[in-house]
Amino acid sequence: MALKIVKGSIDRMFDKNLQDLVRGIRNHKEDEAKYISTCIDEIKQELKQDNIAVKSNAVCKLTYLQMLGYDVSWAAFNIVEVMSSSKFTYKRIGYLAASQCFHESTDVIMLTTNQIRKDLSSPNQYDTGVALTGLSCFVTPDLARDLANDIMTLMSHTKPYIRKKAVLIMYKVFLKYPESLRPAFPRMKEKLEDPDPGVQSAAVNVICELARRNPKNYLSLAPLFFKLMTSSTNNWVLIKIIKLFGALTPLEPRLGKKLIEPLTNLIHSTSAMSLLYECVNTVIAVLISLSSGMPNHSASIQLCVQKLRILIEDSDQNLKYLGLLAMSKILKTHPKSVQSHKDLILQCLDDKDESIRLRALDLLYGMVSKKNLMEIVKKLMLHVDKAEGTTYRDELLTKIIDICSQSNYQYITNFEWYISILVELTRLEGTRHGHLIASQMLDVAIRVKAIRAFAVAQMATLLDNAHLLTGNTQHSGICEVLYAAAWICGEFSEHLEDPMATLEAMLRPKVATLPGHIQAVYVQNAAKLFSTVLCGQEGAPADSKVAQETSQLLIDRLPVFVQSDNLEVQERASCILQLVKYIQKLQQKDVEVAEEVTALFAGELNPVAPKAQKKVPVPEGLDLDAWINEPPSGSESEDEGRKTKGKAVFAREESRHTKPRYTEVDEKELAMRREVRKAEQANNPFYIKASPSSQKVYQEAVGVEHIPVVQIDLSVPLKVPGMPMSDQYVKLEEERREKNKADRKKKDKKKRREKGRQRRGDSGPESEEDITPAHMVDIVTEEMPENALPSDDDDKDPNDPHKALNIDLDKPLADSEKKLPVRTHRPDEVLKSPIEDAEGLEVTSEPKKKSGKEKDKERKKGKEKKKKKHKQEEGEDLMEAGSEEPVQSKVTNDVAAQPPASTPEASDLDFWLSNAPVPSDPQEAAAVTDAPPASTPDAASGVAAVVPDSEPEETKSSKHKKKKQKKEKDKKKKHHHHHHSDGAREESVQNGTVEDEEPLPPMSNYAMLAENSYIKMMKQDADEVCDIQGNLHDGSQVVVSVIFENKCDSFIKSMEFNVMDSLNSKLQRPEGAGPHDSLTVPFHLPPGISSEARFIFSVQSIVMPQKLKGTLTFIVKTEDSSTHEKLDFKLHFTCTSYLITTPCYSDAYAKLLESGDLKGSSLKLEGINQPFHHLLARICFHHHFSVVERIDSCASMYSRSIQGHHVCLLVKTADQTVSIDAKCDEPGLLRNVLDEIKLTFSQC
Amino acid sequence: MIKAILIFNNHGKPRLSKFYEHYSEDTEQQIIRETFHLVSKRDENVCNFLEGGMLIGGSENKLIYRHYATLYFVFCVDSSESELGILDLIQVFVETLDKCFENVCELDLIFHVDKVHNILAEMVMGGMVLETNMNEIITQVDAQNKMEKSEVRL
């Protein structure tokens, strides 16, 4: 052994360390890869050694190699080993490596939970720090859930160094485990006023990050942040807060009004550019939010624009950039103020700095007018030619298209010019935006009817020169335009000068190299062209030869496409080929076919808005859930009868319930609906009717008042030699405008009339109206269904992790919510840290109620129950009631010093906001605000106020949070205070994410175990099957987690947890301990702190519920004395606690039921009036079931016991009656589980 | 949020890479290459912000960088960070390195990338700014190094 160590350290001397590795790599420049691979081999050897120093050295080197791009995930386990070294040096190396290469799918991460927990509670602050830092990089949902409690405790650590890290990492925890947000938030809020500026800044950071995504939930913190803003001197904090206000103001314009003054002051006073800039930004946000109502903020706008101009003119490019960035925000609401700085912005377009040019481009969007559009685009086109990187060029391209197409082509006066611009853009090599250009071409050609002839001519040229575009197929993004070109030529082929030539161009063999979808369009449109050619030719019978030649051309060329490997091309080509062959036959017989061929492509397509389909409202009278045919009938009684027959019962019933409930419809109503539908269809442009007069329908539907008037300026020659096409338009346009001006001087009355017809004379600055468009263009609007639903929320990203964090934080926490739910527990950990006590936790939990009435009922019930069960406590109840008054006043004082945002949030905020003069001391205002009683009782009512009996001084010390809550409660229901402690104080989980039907009431698995003036215990039991195989057959374990909360202001230590074993259940004690020894709880509790410990019990039979008696002893230590205290409790193991939520597929489920091994039982619950999904959620949550299948008001559920019994439920509901049919291979267990389910529902 | 912090030299050799979101090693290298490509072609006297990184985060994100002698320090951040604030932070970072290494140069970063990581960990944690006060950062870094030394002595 000793020899080995010596050998290890000798080896170590010869090992390369990181520096050697780096040096080696530098010395092997030619064969770096080879050298590194030998190094990796060495590292692998080192990792095999036992010496942790050697191992960590190896891991350190791997971290370096990871940076160079080598995958080191194979060493993940070794990294975990190094992380768990007791020496800080190695631990740090391990955590660094983990933070660099672990991620959610690294499977060894689950091995780290206990190590991290240990490090978090290490007495050495740097162990904790390093663990927090590492965790922040690789936290997974599991880690977040398991460690949330530990981290929350660290938020109150004595060392600010730990506090700030714990606060910061909570953001990551929230993201991964949204349920923790509500319970943790009060403490997070407290940290906003932490004495340490670093901690404060961290809390601001986290809340800002949260609020940015879901601002409305944080509106109530505005007064607190306002206070911080006016008091803080830390620029970092100020910037964050000011940014946060920027996000909040759009939701609350009154907040904006309040902010303007202090922000303006800051703008004038601060010397920090970063702060000034953020102030300007937020003022802009405020102004935007106010822009609707308050016109008299022009001074502020002027101030902002002025400051920004200074920034833009600054020689510091960074400021210039930011100035432009902020300017673009103003542009949206106050374009006029920005337009006056057009000179400056145009100047920035020529800046040598690409970032600045891009920003200036953004601004251009708002700078254009009818007058200057051509000029600006011309300038941009020059940039396009000069641009080096494709990114910038693509950006320019999209910008040009954006600018031109904005607000329905508002600024385009000459569409010929625009088409030429688009055609010019196709010359860009390697752009990614081919499809963008293509869609513009299509859009313009379809919607601007007057331009079609011109567009078709241009597109024909494009098709003819297709080889120029596709010359280099690698960069073929641009060939997308051919798609548009082919379609336009085909669809509007009547405008083609020489359709035959175009047809020929479209059938060139080279076309077969284009992408499939483009070929398909080519083939289809070749057919359209063919029909046009036939039409043109057959008028003159002498030319029938030409027509036949055309057919021959198609017959010759199409086979190439018939062989295409693209299905669509192939299909279209063979279809058309056969058609043409047939036509050829007819032609040879001198039959006139043109008319019939044309009929194939008759009618015109209308542009349809992209969202149209989605917006079609469900017609009135159409019930999508209604039956079309009568469903097979079946009755409840039949079910009952069948059930006893066993086998496949569920399966059959399920199929019955698969069908949704139907509404009965009688003949009359059907007839009525038919009428309605007909009327609907008549008005619906999308309904394909027998007579396709689409054009007419379209006009009716959209109600375009004017009919297109086409006045193509024939004076425009199409080609000016030596000049790029679009330029000539600019020139011509200038001339035209000159001419117009001259004309106007002559007071041409006609012009005026035309002007009247112009649709958008109102827009644009300056003398916009003076510019008459070259074309009177009817821009066809995109079709939308009639009475389309106006909603624009279609663009939210459903995958945004922040969606889950959209949680109401103002709702006061239920007492039960104060602790984080911890769902899984590892038995090994429990062995290490045994503890605990518990009492009759008779129901796992009782859901909180929302409405006041129900609450009262519940409270009464709770009280009654309590009376029965704990008669001895009644005396206490009275005393509590007595002590209430003084407590309340004390608490109110206390809260006044607290952030005002604490309780009746809405009214507080209103008050604060309506309080016109800024209060010199926000605290004062807050104190006042707290006074008006809130009107509605709120959800916290289920919370038992924790008022210790007879010892008022202890109340003071009880947790702050609790006080707040209590106070609130006091205020709201001065007249009825009840304390009922059992069911109501579970841990709640905000379950808002489960289903979108209706929010579920919070539920929790924690139940009150026992409580006295010193300590409160809550327990949750969870089953844990460590190794499923092993446990299924022999030992079964149940894990009980208990939260201990110190309610007094003294230190509680030496807690010992003991339970009297029964024959069936035993507390697992460390080896060597006697059967009656108690377990030490592995932590102390400072005042107000809660922590959780877990205990393992081994259970033999799981058929029956069990109650175990236990005791917790502890020492309460005050400054001058310490007393021994004891708390008795009863631990209740329900049969439910032996069930493990196990998912089951419906087929496996059906098989299971068919097997016939299961015995049935059933249960009926009356008077359940909660929604079905609540009911299911409740069964799932409290009784560890999972839903196998849910159909309408019927669901099948499954769970499995720790000993492998299957439990199947079929839950049906009708008229407040819930029937549960259950099957299980262990009838005793089943009976008890059903009883427990019944109990759960009888309590709600 | 800070999405990534990269340090590379004038030739694009990575000297430190810290990603606060997970990417595969290959993607990380691509990001470094792309970022280097974007940053290195910019003149000295242009602004320190740029958009257009394809690989990391898309349009929401911005690259904020500073160029010191042979090294580029690049922070990729989203819109919740103040641009000028991050520039200051880079300055603080470099000054801290300067203090910790006593006249820092590229070689220090090459051979002691682990130390650089440790310093960075005191400034930015999980993509959020942890500490901006240089003295505080140095105090914590020193304390940890001292602890490391005492362990070696043992």
Side-chain angles (χ1 to χ4, degrees), chain A residues 19 67 69 88-89 92 99-100 103 124 126 161 164 172 205 212 236 243 318 321 353 355 359, chain B residues 17-18 22 29 42 46-49 51 62 78-80 111 122 126 131-132 140 147-148 151:
Chain A
Q19 282 74 36
M67 180 181 80
F88 173 74
T89 316
R92 179 154 78 163
S99 74
Q100 291 293 89
H103 51 91
N124 179 345
Y126 292 113
Y161 177 75
K164 72 181 174 191
K172 296 275 173 162
N205 221 328
R212 196 163 66 94
W236 271 95
K243 264 183 171 283
N318 291 332
Y321 171 90
D353 188 342
S355 295
R359 292 277 66 86
Chain B
S17 69
K18 182 86 209 167
H22 174 70
Q29 293 304 309
R42 292 172 64 84
V46 297
C47 76
N48 298 101
F49 316 118
E51 291 135 89
K62 229 177 238 157
D78 70 11
S79 62
S80 73
F111 286 107
E122 296 303 321
E131 186 57 70
T132 50
Q140 302 298 353
M147 211 164 94
E148 207 173 278
E151 280 182 354

Side-chain angles (χ1 to χ4, degrees), chain A residues 77 339 554 676 685 792 987 1054:
Chain A
F77 187 75
Q339 269 155 4
L554 280 165
V676 172
D792 275 313
E987 180 74 34
S1054 307

Side-chain angles (χ1 to χ4, degrees), chain A residues 607-864:
Chain A
V608 175
K611 287 179 190 165
Q613 182 71 50
K614 222 195 290 178
K615 304 266 167 134
V616 179
V618 179
E620 215 177 305
L622 172 64
D623 181 359
L624 290 173
D625 294 331
W627 284 97
I628 295 172
N629 297 312
E630 286 282 306
S633 63
S635 72
E636 208 56 37
S637 60
E638 263 180 52
D639 292 343
E640 305 276 330
R642 256 191 258 153
K643 193 181 49 212
T644 46
K645 286 180 198 143
K647 271 203 153 190
V649 166
F650 289 175
R652 225 181 306 156
E653 279 182 29
E654 250 160 60
S655 67
R656 193 181 76 80
H657 285 280
T658 319
K659 288 150 194 163
R661 88 206 122 78
Y662 63 97
T663 35
E664 279 202 56
V665 186
D666 61 11
E667 268 307 300
K668 235 191 256 168
E669 199 176 336
L670 277 179
M672 220 173 72
R673 281 190 192 166
R674 229 172 276 138
E675 281 305 299
V676 172
R677 192 158 55 228
K678 262 186 207 155
E680 201 73 58
Q681 285 166 3
N683 294 326
N684 187 345
F686 297 98
Y687 191 79
I688 303 160
K689 274 152 283 191
S691 56
S693 60
S694 58
Q695 191 54 36
K696 215 172 109 206
V697 170
Y698 147 68
Q699 276 175 359
E700 278 168 14
V702 181
V704 175
E705 305 108 64
H706 37 250
I707 296 145
V709 177
V710 187
Q711 293 183 340
I712 294 189
D713 192 347
L714 289 178
S715 65
V716 178
L718 284 184
K719 296 223 161 98
V720 176
M723 230 182 179
M725 280 269 283
S726 60
D727 281 2
Q728 98 206 14
Y729 286 101
V730 179
K731 212 169 167 200
L732 286 166
E733 182 72 17
E734 276 162 18
E735 283 165 16
R736 194 178 63 89
R737 283 182 194 168
E738 283 300 309
K739 210 176 105 205
N740 280 359
K741 234 184 250 170
D743 286 355
R744 219 174 295 118
K745 270 181 197 155
K746 287 178 213 156
K747 287 219 157 186
D748 193 324
K749 281 208 169 170
K750 250 192 213 162
K751 273 262 152 71
R752 275 223 193 134
R753 232 186 300 137
E754 273 183 16
K755 229 196 304 172
R757 276 222 311 267
Q758 203 182 315
R759 269 212 285 179
R760 293 166 300 266
D762 53 338
S763 58
E766 303 167 63
S767 52
E768 273 296 88
E769 280 167 78
D770 294 350
I771 301 162
T772 338
H775 301 173
M776 275 308 172
V777 178
D778 167 48
I779 301 178
V780 179
T781 347
E782 289 168 324
E783 286 188 2
M784 280 291 262
E786 270 176 292
N787 53 19
L789 309 163
S791 67
D792 275 313
D793 45 354
D794 344 61
D795 26 50
K796 282 201 174 168
D797 177 12
N799 295 326
D800 187 354
H802 291 88
K803 254 187 146 180
L805 287 182
N806 191 355
I807 291 169
D808 182 8
L809 295 164
D810 294 342
K811 206 170 71 188
L813 282 178
D815 213 19
S816 51
E817 270 183 311
K818 286 183 188 164
K819 255 125 249 136
L820 280 169
V822 178
R823 284 197 216 117
T824 51
H825 311 288
R826 309 204 142 260
D828 47 328
E829 143 93 32
V830 181
L831 282 177
K832 266 183 256 153
S833 59
I835 328 170
E836 186 32 359
D837 84 317
E839 125 169 3
L841 129 275
E842 20 140 327
V843 202
T844 19
S845 68
E846 204 173 72
K848 263 189 329 178
K849 277 296 159 70
K850 293 240 158 114
S851 90
K853 246 195 224 162
E854 276 173 329
K855 236 185 300 160
D856 284 354
K857 230 192 280 167
E858 183 188 329
R859 206 176 295 123
K860 252 179 244 157
K861 229 194 263 169
K863 209 181 175 185
E864 275 162 23

Side-chain angles (χ1 to χ4, degrees), chain A residues 152-165:
Chain A
M152 245 174 92
T153 316
L154 291 180
M155 282 167 73
S156 317
H157 199 274
T158 49
K159 299 243 171 57
Y161 177 75
I162 299 299
R163 282 209 302 276
K164 72 181 174 191
K165 288 196 168 194

